[in-house]
Amino acid sequence: MSAGQSYRLLFVSTPLGPLGSGAGGGVELTLLNMLEALTQQGHQIQVMAPQQSQLPQAEVIPVAGSPQIPAQTQVRHTPVHMPENSVLANMWLQVQTLQSEFDLIVNFAYDWLPLYLTPFLDTPIAHLISMGSLTDAMDQIIGQIANQFPHTIGVHTQAQANTFPFAEHCYSVRNGFNLDLYQFTPNPEDYLCWLGRIAPEKALEDAVAAVDQTGQALKIMGHIQDQAYFDQIQAQFPHANIDYLGFLDTTAMQEVLRYSQGLLVTPRWVEAFGNVVIEALACGVPVIAYNRGGPAEIVQPGKTGWLVEPDSVDGLVAAIGKLPEIDRQSCRQQAEQEYSLIAFAQRLEQWFAKILSQPEQ
Ligand code: HBI
């Protein structure tokens, strides 16, 4: 139990698909980590999510209906989509009925409707915005709620906030992980790792180009979102020593990651956070990252890894040569100090207290 207030919280999940299906991407892991972190602190949480959701330690309020279209598939001027029998609309109709049982509602959807409905509901809503700026319609409605309900727009990093015109109205809660799942490893083997969705915005080709020069092995894990893109990389670097291991669950993934000399993080776009960076640090694995987006706010150059000029393969090669200078214990320590579940819970409690201390609208 935290020293302060114990909250009754309603988590309203992403409408992309059932929890546990992977359809919700990174935000599923964030919801589970928040649920564990805040439950440990004594708060009472209920989760509302699309039917067939699986949740280990909490009951789910299941909701039927059609999923939303993933926002990443949209462009600046794409209009707001609402399918027939929308699960998102069905969820928020139920929220209206249940709202008086809770002190605060936490919205996990990157969608227009929950933001638009905020002034229509009595219970305050904390919106956890899980990606950077993607469309004009979302920017407009998030900005409107950010102005009308101060401190209610939560983000993971300042870099993510800076993609929005209302950056100064965003409240950064960073993220948090169950570090018990990651085993610190003092002595690495002779290979590097690359983790993530295999898609152009993740620029896997730069990591392959770097190890093609250094000669080290590169173990690759993650979901192949674009097979043609992956095939093209392998054709371009036929002699690179790469080993694709598939999409593994956390336990199996960290069993490979923990023995690597370092993790290469090569985003072409502004990563809102960069979960894989924390997962590496938690194993004691130094991180080499392009100096852009969320990863650039996490890696401490010379202490827990190296930041490289964005899109510079030569920069990656030079940093790989400097990995032995990093003390792997420092990497684990940074994860424990800043990204543990208890550190995350404290940031979340401060965020909620700030929202609930606002005068009634
Ligand atoms: N798209 N429409 C929509 N709604 C979401 O909640 C959503 C999304 N795309 C991706 C996504 N959520 C999460 O995978 C990321 O925010 C992490």
Side-chain angles (χ1 to χ4, degrees):
M1 180 72 80
S2 59
Q5 166 81 14
S6 162
Y7 297 123
R8 298 167 302 162
L9 303 167
L10 174 61
F11 284 9
V12 187
S13 185
T14 168
L16 280 195
L19 280 169
S21 69
V27 80
E28 280 193 42
L29 180 61
T30 300
L31 186 149
L32 291 176
N33 288 335
M34 280 176 64
L35 177 63
E36 184 164 353
L38 291 165
T39 304
Q40 277 174 6
Q41 296 297 307
H43 302 289
Q44 293 127 50
I45 303 170
Q46 289 196 44
V47 179
M48 182 183 291
Q51 62 184 358
Q52 266 96 47
S53 287
Q54 302 297 324
L55 214 53
Q57 80 270 27
E59 87 260 15
V60 179
I61 303 167
V63 181
S66 313
Q68 286 297 112
I69 295 171
Q72 305 96 306
T73 62
Q74 298 167 353
V75 292
R76 295 305 318 171
H77 54 275
T78 305
V80 175
H81 288 266
M82 286 301 287
E84 166 266 338
N85 185 33
S86 155
V87 68
L88 181 65
N90 295 341
M91 283 201 280
W92 285 88
L93 194 57
Q94 276 212 45
V95 169
Q96 187 189 34
T97 311
L98 300 172
Q99 63 174 320
S100 60
E101 296 170 27
F102 300 96
D103 302 306
L104 183 71
I105 297 160
V106 184
N107 167 44
F108 288 81
Y110 190 97
D111 288 280
W112 182 87
L113 185 67
L115 289 148
Y116 178 74
L117 289 177
T118 306
F120 294 85
L121 291 164
D122 304 317
T123 301
I125 306 175
H127 296 283
L128 185 61
I129 302 300
S130 55
M131 293 186 285
S133 169
L134 285 175
T135 64
D136 296 341
M138 276 301 284
D139 282 13
Q140 187 273 328
I141 194 66
I142 301 172
Q144 183 179 315
I145 297 306
N147 282 299
Q148 197 177 346
F149 298 89
H151 314 300
T152 63
I153 301 302
V155 294
H156 291 304
T157 60
Q158 198 50 51
Q160 176 197 356
N162 293 342
T163 64
F164 295 109
F166 46 82
E168 71 282 3
H169 294 299
C170 295
Y171 189 101
S172 175
V173 294
R174 294 196 277 171
N175 213 321
F177 296 77
N178 178 357
L179 300 178
D180 298 343
L181 299 178
Y182 304 87
Q183 294 162 275
F184 172 68
T185 310
N187 307 308
E189 292 170 18
D190 186 20
Y191 62 85
L192 299 166
C193 272
W194 188 95
L195 290 180
R197 263 179 315 107
I198 297 179
E201 71 272 13
K202 300 281 189 177
L204 170 59
E205 67 272 23
D206 288 10
V208 175
V211 297
D212 194 44
Q213 288 187 39
T214 65
Q216 268 144 315
L218 179 68
K219 291 188 185 292
I220 300 166
M221 290 173 277
H223 173 68
I224 299 178
Q225 183 169 308
D226 184 333
Q227 184 64 53
Y229 165 69
F230 192 26
D231 295 343
Q232 192 260 327
I233 292 172
Q234 295 175 77
Q236 190 179 353
F237 300 100
H239 307 298
N241 181 358
I242 64 175
D243 186 7
Y244 174 62
L245 302 177
F247 175 79
L248 307 181
D249 69 15
T250 300
T251 306
M253 179 279 289
Q254 73 89 35
E255 198 50 40
V256 175
L257 177 60
R258 60 188 286 219
Y259 290 105
S260 69
Q261 277 193 341
L263 175 73
L264 303 181
V265 181
T266 55
R268 280 280 186 269
W269 72 336
V270 172
E271 283 282 345
F273 186 72
N275 290 350
V276 297
V277 172
I278 308 304
E279 295 185 289
L281 296 178
C283 295
V285 173
V287 175
I288 292 173
Y290 282 154
N291 193 3
R292 68 163 56 117
E297 280 178 41
I298 299 168
V299 175
Q300 296 168 0
K303 193 166 181 300
T304 60
W306 299 103
L307 292 179
V308 167
E309 181 201 340
D311 310 322
S312 164
V313 171
D314 291 343
L316 295 175
V317 170
I320 289 169
K322 296 196 298 180
L323 280 172
E325 294 175 32
I326 302 294
D327 171 4
R328 293 169 72 94
Q329 186 72 43
S330 306
C331 299
R332 173 72 193 191
Q333 277 164 3
Q334 181 184 3
E336 286 173 354
Q337 282 153 14
E338 298 178 29
Y339 298 105
S340 66
L341 288 182
I342 189 143
F344 192 27
Q346 284 160 357
R347 289 193 288 268
L348 292 167
E349 286 170 338
Q350 284 160 14
W351 180 31
F352 296 164
K354 202 139 173 100
I355 295 171
L356 294 172
S357 65
Q358 294 301 308
E360 280 299 300
Q361 288 291 334

